Amino acid sequence: MLCVLTVLGSLLASACGSSGGGGSASVAPKDVGPASGHLTWYAINFGPEGFPQKLVDAFQRDHPGITVTYQAAPNNTDTMRATLTTEISGGSGSIDVYNGDVVWPAQFGKASLAMPLDAHLPDGYWDRFPRERADIAEYRGEHIGAPLYVDAGLMYYRKDLLDKHHLPVPKTWEELKRTAARLQRSGDVRYGYVAQWANYEGLTVDWTEMSAAAGGRTVSRDGRRPAIDSPENRRVLRFMRDMLDEGVAPSAITSFQEQQSLQTFVEGDAAFHRNWAYAYGEANNPKTSQVVGKVGIAPLPAFDGEKGPGKSAAGGWNLMVNPHSDAIGAALTFIRWMTGEKAQRMLAENGVIPARSDVLHDEDLQRGNPALKAAADAPLVSRPSGIARYAQLSHGVYTNVNGSLAGSASPGSALHAAAEDIERVLEGRAL
C-alpha cells in the first residue's frame, strides 16, 4: 500500500506543480547516439495475441543492428502511468520507448517524463498523420509522442433487427432512443442501449462525445475556464437520465466499462452499443459472440437540431521516449519504422486502426475491415487533455456525471459541482 501511495503522490506532485506555474525540473536528454544496440519497448498488448512481438520481429529483420525486448504493460492504463512515472522520475533508463495514451502528452511533457521529438525527426514527418491526431500529441508546441495507432468511438447496432422491423439506422440520439424502445417492446432485445457509464475515464470519453453532439464543451476553448455547466450539457445529462428512467439503458450501465457493455451486446441482449473500433471484431468472433453477421457500424448520432454525424472521441496510443534512455538513437529508429508504411499496414491487416493517413484511407484495406473505414471517416473530438492536470480534471467530470446517473444528484447540481471541481483543477488547487 505504501508503494501505491508513493506512486500516486509522485504522479500528482509532478502533474500539479506550483500555483506559480512551476513543475518538475526539466530533464536534459542525452546525446542521441547510434541507431544500434538494445532497447526495451513497454506497451499494453494490442491487436491479436502476440501481435506486438510480431512487430518487433519484423523491425529486427529490417534493422539487424538493433535488438528489441517487448515488455508487456498492465492493461490498466492508470497502473501503467503510475509505473512509468515512478521509473522515469526516479531517473531509470530501463524502459527506452513506451506506448503512451493520447491523453498523456501534457501530463508527461510538463513532468519531463517524455523527450520532445521534433528536433530528432525529419522535416515533414508529422504530415503522415491526420492533423488533429498529430496536434493532440503536442505539449507547448512540441510533439511529446508519435502517433502509433488511433481509435474512435463508433455506434454498433443490430442490423438484422432494424431490417426485420423496417427501421432506418438512427441519425440522432432522440431517434435512437425511440428505435431502441420499439425493439424492446417487440421482445427482440432486453436492453435498448449499452455504453461505458461507470465511474472511470470511459465515462469522460462517452460524455465528451455526447456533449459535443449537443454543441457543448467541458472546458472553454482557451482551456482556462470550466464550460460544463451549460444548457447544452444539461440537455445531455437529462437525456442520459431519461434513458435510464425509461429502461432503454439498464440500471447496471452505471457500472459498465468497455468489457461489460460489449459482453451485453455480443450476447444479443442490446440493440445499440457504443464502443471503440475493436468491438467489431469481437462482435463477429464465432467463439464468443451470439450476433456474428448481424452487426452494423454507424457514426455516433447528433442531437436534434445539431449538425450530424456526432463526433467520436479521439483515442489510441503514441510512442514516447524516456529521456533517461541510453538507446535514444535506436528508439528514434524504432519510432520511424513503427510509423512507416510497412508497420502501419501490419496494424491495419491485424484489426488495429493505423495512425498514418495513407494507410488509414487505403480503400483495399477498408474493404476487408468495415471498422477501419468507419474510424477513418469519423469526425473527432478531443478530451480536454491539453491540460497538464487532466487526470484530476477527468475525475471531476466522471464522478459527478456518474453520481447523477446513479440518482444521487440532479443534472443541474451535478454539472455545477463538476464545474467547481474543474475550476479547482485549472487553478492548481486540490480536489
Side-chain angles (χ1 to χ4, degrees):
M1 178 61 74
L2 179 60
C3 177
V4 172
L5 293 174
T6 302
V7 168
L8 292 175
S10 172
L11 176 61
L12 292 173
S14 64
C16 297
S18 69
S19 59
S24 295
S26 196
V27 177
K30 300 177 182 180
D31 292 337
V32 168
S36 60
H38 176 269
L39 64 85
T40 297
W41 172 36
Y42 185 65
I44 288 175
N45 185 57
F46 59 96
E49 186 65 32
F51 181 60
Q53 187 59 50
K54 290 181 180 178
L55 287 168
V56 166
D57 294 342
F59 169 78
Q60 290 182 148
R61 285 193 292 271
D62 288 349
H63 294 276
I66 303 174
T67 59
V68 179
T69 297
Y70 166 63
Q71 183 177 338
N75 284 328
N76 184 303
T77 57
D78 288 335
T79 303
M80 180 183 179
R81 181 181 58 185
T83 299
L84 286 165
T85 299
T86 302
E87 290 281 321
I88 299 173
S89 63
S92 173
S94 62
I95 294 168
D96 299 290
V97 60
Y98 57 91
N99 284 16
D101 197 305
V102 291
V103 297
W104 290 1
Q107 303 167 67
F108 276 48
K110 183 174 183 179
S112 298
L113 301 175
M115 187 182 84
L117 299 174
D118 289 335
H120 305 293
L121 292 168
D123 291 342
Y125 171 81
W126 304 101
D127 295 341
R128 69 184 64 186
F129 309 111
R131 172 74 178 274
E132 64 273 13
R133 184 61 181 83
D135 285 352
I136 61 174
E138 288 186 0
Y139 175 63
R140 293 185 175 176
E142 289 270 13
H143 288 92
I144 302 299
L148 174 60
Y149 60 92
V150 302
D151 216 339
L154 300 170
M155 184 62 65
Y156 296 90
Y157 62 92
R158 288 287 300 277
K159 63 181 181 181
D160 59 323
L161 299 184
L162 294 186
D163 290 345
K164 176 182 176 181
H165 294 276
H166 308 290
L167 294 169
V169 178
K171 289 183 168 52
T172 69
W173 281 106
E174 291 86 352
E175 184 184 7
L176 183 147
K177 182 157 74 75
R178 291 193 299 270
T179 302
R182 178 171 172 180
L183 294 177
Q184 287 177 281
R185 289 194 299 270
S186 74
D188 287 325
V189 286
R190 185 177 180 187
Y191 306 121
Y193 177 73
V194 289
Q196 300 80 49
W197 290 5
N199 190 27
Y200 81 121
E201 177 65 20
L203 179 53
T204 299
V205 172
D206 288 29
W207 170 259
T208 300
E209 293 170 341
M210 295 188 76
S211 170
R217 300 181 60 84
T218 296
V219 176
S220 63
R221 291 186 185 278
D222 62 10
R224 296 180 179 179
R225 300 177 305 282
I228 195 168
D229 189 7
S230 68
E232 295 84 359
N233 286 333
R234 286 192 288 275
R235 175 188 185 185
V236 173
L237 192 48
R238 282 195 297 266
F239 179 84
M240 296 169 78
R241 284 277 299 264
D242 287 346
M243 291 186 86
L244 277 160
D245 294 343
E246 296 170 20
V248 172
S251 59
I253 196 174
T254 58
S255 64
F256 278 8
Q257 299 188 14
E258 281 86 352
Q259 188 54 43
Q260 293 88 356
S261 56
L262 177 60
Q263 188 67 28
T264 303
F265 184 71
V266 301
E267 288 177 353
D269 285 336
F272 296 95
H273 173 47
R274 181 267 170 216
N275 213 320
W276 301 104
Y278 83 98
Y280 183 77
E282 295 296 319
N284 286 286
N285 182 346
K287 295 181 180 178
T288 57
S289 175
Q290 303 298 313
V291 294
V292 175
K294 301 176 181 179
V295 176
I297 306 178
L300 292 167
F303 278 91
D304 282 347
E306 297 293 327
K307 183 179 178 181
K311 292 185 177 180
S312 300
W317 290 77
N318 299 318
L319 287 164
M320 305 170 93
V321 176
N322 179 356
H324 301 295
S325 169
D326 287 322
I328 288 176
L332 292 167
T333 299
F334 183 69
I335 286 175
R336 287 195 295 269
W337 186 89
M338 290 283 277
T339 58
E341 184 177 0
K342 180 176 182 178
Q344 291 284 297
R345 290 188 71 86
M346 286 181 66
L347 265 65
E349 290 164 355
N350 284 272
V352 181
I353 308 301
R356 191 178 166 112
S357 294
D358 56 351
V359 181
L360 183 64
H361 294 280
D362 186 291
E363 293 182 358
D364 289 336
L365 290 169
Q366 289 183 354
R367 274 192 286 272
N369 183 358
L372 176 60
K373 178 172 175 51
D377 293 341
L380 298 179
V381 60
S382 298
R383 287 163 276 174
S385 56
I387 295 161
R389 296 184 70 204
Y390 171 75
Q392 294 88 341
L393 187 150
S394 180
H395 183 271
V397 173
Y398 63 70
T399 54
N400 285 292
V401 172
N402 179 265
S404 182
L405 294 175
S408 64
S410 69
S413 61
L415 293 177
H416 181 73
E420 290 183 333
D421 285 348
I422 291 170
E423 187 168 22
R424 280 193 286 270
V425 170
L426 295 176
E427 292 177 351
R429 294 182 286 137
L431 288 180

